[in-house]
Amino acid sequence: MVMALCNTVVPIKSNDGTISYKAQSQDEEALVNAASNLNMLLTSKDSSGIAEICFNGSKFYYEVLDVLEFTSDRKRMSIVVKEVKSGKFLLLTKGADEAIFPRSCPGEQTKTYLEAVEMYSHLGLRTLCLGCRDLEEDEYKEWSKKFQDASCSLDNREHKIAEVCNSLEQGIHILGITAIEDRLQDGVPETIKLLRKAGINVWMLTGDKQTTAIQIGLLCNLITPESKGQLLSINGKTEDDILQSLERALTIMKTALERKDLAFVLDGWALEIILKRSLESFTKLAMMSRTAICCRMTPLQKAQLVGILKSSGSLTLAIGDGGNDVRMIQEANVGVGISGREGLQAARAADYSIGKFKFLRRLILVHGRYSYNRTAFISQYSFYKSLLICFIQILFSFSSGLSGTSIFNSISLMAYNVFYTSLPVMTIIFDKDISEATVLRYPQILLYSQAGRLLNRSTFAEWFGRSLYHAFVVFLITINAYADEKSDMEELSMVALSGCIWLQAFVVTLDTNSFTCPQITLIWGNFVAFYMINLILSAVPTLQMHTVMWHLCNQPSYWITMALIVAAGMGPVLALRYLRNVYRPSAIDVLQQIEQTDGHAQAPGNLESSTGTYLDYLLTDLRRNKSSIHQPLLSDSASSR
């Protein structure tokens, strides 16, 4: 009867007479369905609070008088019902064992129930303790008045409600223990394994019992068995015991980190004590541990843990599927909500919403990595193309005696960023340096992003140097080819601008890894559009550019000048890139070579065997030096969690 009544489930009867249940919690739905399988069927609930129970063909009616709602602090839910036929008042309760057993009747034997809870927990099942209590009518009326007063209070209402509820939830008769299997979604173990290979530290923050959480951690590859790893428990009967276990875990973590896959486990009570008395030691332990299991966590404690990791310099991603995960999701740098049967609270509060946990690997390893690569290129290329035209103007200022004359006219300066160079760079949204299959096969390649290998001070300096070199190439070749008495200023300006457009087209092409029809169209279509626009402008008599482009296009010397600019500008860049790929290839270069050989992530045996050792060395070196070689420009820390 407790399983059928103590909930907020709404029964829905279809036209054919079958009954289905609509519940906010999957646990409540499971309990009601289990009760119906045991012939205790919840058939209806009306707006007046009357619930109909059908048991072995007999119907019983109960009036739901009050609902003592579940909270993360109370860890239990109760309802007060009145049996319509007899007028008997009952308190029905369900909740965590540590919330129910201390409130049981004095002298009641709970050993059997405790053994059942422990047994179910070792099986990875989520346990609930069920109980009930008979109420006298006068007792209920007196309590109900206090409950209404607390509910209407404007000052500290939640605390007052909790106190009133606690006063009634005493002397409970224990009825039994339920165990619910919270099955892992498909692909969870594989996803966690890939994320850990990618250098991401994975923590589990849950409200389940410690034993249940550990079993789930083993099932989903979060922690390794004792033969290969070690799980450090931070607990104790007193505050001093907890602090001693914390220091012991920190010492073991420092000395045995390289020999075993270490993780630690603690509960909400231990965390509360640690945050008050030893936050610094816990932060050190958190930074050293790749895995942790935090059980019996309240929503506030989940958010506090995420905040601790953020304050220590780590980038955090929080993923959850329930309303108790909302605070944690909002606190993290990136929040991911799983939309499903638990509701949409987490999904609506998150930055990203996915349907299943396994989609997280594509979100991070594929889309996240591609997004980082494209952002790195676009941000640095934007500086490059702007610096290129600025350096040319600076060089012209020195050659013109600092006269203040601009080498480019106003139309060219406006169109350069708006029309001539904006579309080609957008082709990067289609670019993929390596295929998705290769990324998922070698998740360690994400360490390039974590270490800021594509966007850091050295890469920015490289783009800065390239823009300065290209400015010298364009300016010197243009000046020597057209700075004579036969050329006017507009021709000199158009030749220099054309050189910039030619170079930026080849730069975008060179830095593109995969070519598609939209990319080819945007890069070289924009190149053709540059000449079409200027040929049209040259046909307007009122503009200073009148006949300039028509005149230049008819000169062989113009096309020879463009060829010299491209050869001088891109020749050294191509040579340096070739030497780097041959003598010091990166892990990405090796993976691209494997793909190009066979067109897939799987390479022929001879090539993969010859490059496999070097590739393993590069990927291992990435993990070892991810936070010491390059510091990314877009964040304060290279570490990721």
Side-chain angles (χ1 to χ4, degrees), residues 205-358:
L205 313 181
T206 178
D208 291 336
K209 285 178 63 66
Q210 178 172 313
T211 310
T212 303
I214 292 174
Q215 292 302 316
I216 295 174
L218 289 170
L219 290 174
C220 66
N221 286 334
L222 183 65
I223 56 177
T224 55
E226 292 184 1
S227 59
K228 298 181 180 179
Q230 183 178 358
L231 185 63
L232 307 174
S233 180
I234 302 175
N235 56 20
K237 296 181 179 180
T238 64
E239 295 187 6
D240 292 335
D241 291 342
I242 291 175
L243 297 178
Q244 289 177 5
S245 65
L246 173 63
E247 295 299 329
R248 184 166 55 251
L250 184 58
T251 302
I252 296 175
M253 193 74 70
K254 290 178 180 178
T255 56
L257 190 59
E258 299 297 332
R259 296 194 297 271
K260 277 191 174 184
D261 189 3
L262 298 178
F264 70 87
V265 57
L266 81 164
D267 59 19
W269 181 64
L271 177 64
E272 184 178 352
I273 295 171
I274 289 171
L275 294 183
K276 290 180 180 178
R277 299 184 55 183
S278 189
L279 178 58
E280 184 178 353
S281 296
F282 178 75
T283 303
K284 292 179 181 178
L285 180 66
M287 292 299 97
M288 297 174 62
S289 177
R290 295 196 60 207
T291 306
I293 295 178
C294 304
C295 53
R296 290 303 190 200
M297 292 286 124
T298 65
L300 177 59
Q301 288 177 324
K302 292 180 180 181
Q304 286 176 331
L305 279 174
V306 174
I308 290 172
L309 297 177
K310 282 178 61 179
S311 63
S312 63
S314 295
L315 300 178
T316 58
L317 181 147
I319 179 170
D321 62 354
N324 57 350
D325 299 318
V326 170
R327 285 189 180 184
M328 172 183 69
I329 289 173
Q330 293 178 334
E331 178 68 25
N333 297 104
V334 179
V336 179
I338 302 177
S339 56
R341 299 181 67 183
E342 289 287 344
L344 297 175
Q345 286 180 291
R348 289 170 177 167
D351 301 304
Y352 299 94
S353 175
I354 57 179
K356 294 183 178 180
F357 184 86
K358 66 180 181 180

Side-chain angles (χ1 to χ4, degrees), residues 16-36:
D16 58 0
T18 59
I19 298 176
S20 60
Y21 299 106
K22 184 177 181 181
Q24 295 181 347
S25 168
Q26 288 181 294
D27 289 0
E28 288 192 341
E29 183 180 353
L31 291 174
V32 175
N33 283 321
S36 65

Side-chain angles (χ1 to χ4, degrees), residues 253-528:
M253 193 74 70
K254 290 178 180 178
T255 56
L257 190 59
E258 299 297 332
R259 296 194 297 271
K260 277 191 174 184
D261 189 3
L262 298 178
F264 70 87
V265 57
L266 81 164
D267 59 19
W269 181 64
L271 177 64
E272 184 178 352
I273 295 171
I274 289 171
L275 294 183
K276 290 180 180 178
R277 299 184 55 183
S278 189
L279 178 58
E280 184 178 353
S281 296
F282 178 75
T283 303
K284 292 179 181 178
L285 180 66
M287 292 299 97
M288 297 174 62
S289 177
R290 295 196 60 207
T291 306
I293 295 178
C294 304
C295 53
R296 290 303 190 200
M297 292 286 124
T298 65
L300 177 59
Q301 288 177 324
K302 292 180 180 181
Q304 286 176 331
L305 279 174
V306 174
I308 290 172
L309 297 177
K310 282 178 61 179
S311 63
S312 63
S314 295
L315 300 178
T316 58
L317 181 147
I319 179 170
D321 62 354
N324 57 350
D325 299 318
V326 170
R327 285 189 180 184
M328 172 183 69
I329 289 173
Q330 293 178 334
E331 178 68 25
N333 297 104
V334 179
V336 179
I338 302 177
S339 56
R341 299 181 67 183
E342 289 287 344
L344 297 175
Q345 286 180 291
R348 289 170 177 167
D351 301 304
Y352 299 94
S353 175
I354 57 179
K356 294 183 178 180
F357 184 86
K358 66 180 181 180
F359 298 152
L360 186 64
R361 58 185 169 189
R362 281 181 52 82
L363 179 65
I364 296 178
L365 300 179
V366 178
H367 299 295
R369 182 179 174 277
Y370 286 157
S371 177
Y372 169 79
N373 292 355
R374 294 160 183 169
T375 301
F377 174 79
I378 289 177
S379 59
Q380 294 176 114
Y381 176 79
S382 299
F383 278 102
Y384 159 79
K385 65 185 182 68
S386 299
L387 289 173
L388 173 61
I389 203 167
C390 290
F391 285 142
I392 293 176
Q393 180 61 49
I394 292 172
L395 293 173
F396 179 76
S397 297
F398 283 110
S399 65
S400 62
L402 302 177
S403 62
T405 304
S406 174
I407 188 174
F408 302 107
N409 57 54
S410 58
I411 296 178
S412 298
L413 288 174
M414 178 192 68
Y416 179 75
N417 277 318
V418 177
F419 298 109
Y420 301 153
T421 60
S422 60
L423 289 180
V425 75
M426 298 306 296
T427 62
I428 202 67
I429 64 175
F430 303 103
D431 191 46
K432 298 179 180 180
D433 56 348
I434 52 180
S435 66
E436 296 182 11
T438 303
V439 173
L440 295 176
R441 187 183 176 198
Y442 299 100
Q444 302 95 319
I445 204 66
L446 184 68
L447 292 166
Y448 262 78
S449 304
Q450 294 179 344
R453 293 294 181 103
L454 301 180
L455 181 57
N456 52 70
R457 293 176 179 84
S458 60
T459 59
F460 188 83
E462 182 180 340
W463 280 96
F464 182 88
R466 185 187 300 186
S467 64
L468 182 60
Y469 171 71
H470 283 172
F472 271 104
V473 169
V474 172
F475 179 75
L476 293 177
I477 293 178
T478 301
I479 288 295
N480 284 280
Y482 282 88
D484 53 40
E485 63 277 1
K486 296 181 180 179
S487 303
D488 58 18
M489 190 63 184
E490 290 300 327
E491 286 187 350
L492 185 68
S493 171
M494 188 56 63
V495 172
L497 182 64
S498 300
C500 295
I501 300 301
W502 277 71
L503 283 177
Q504 70 88 23
F506 277 94
V507 166
V508 173
T509 303
L510 181 64
D511 282 88
T512 300
N513 296 284
S514 59
F515 289 96
T516 60
C517 291
Q519 288 173 286
I520 296 173
T521 302
L522 286 174
I523 294 174
W524 298 106
N526 185 82
F527 184 75
V528 174

Side-chain angles (χ1 to χ4, degrees), residues 37-58:
N37 292 334
L38 298 172
N39 298 326
M40 183 67 72
L41 181 64
L42 176 64
T43 56
S44 67
K45 276 185 180 180
D46 59 26
S47 58
S48 62
I50 302 296
E52 181 184 274
I53 296 289
C54 182
F55 179 65
N56 288 338
S58 301

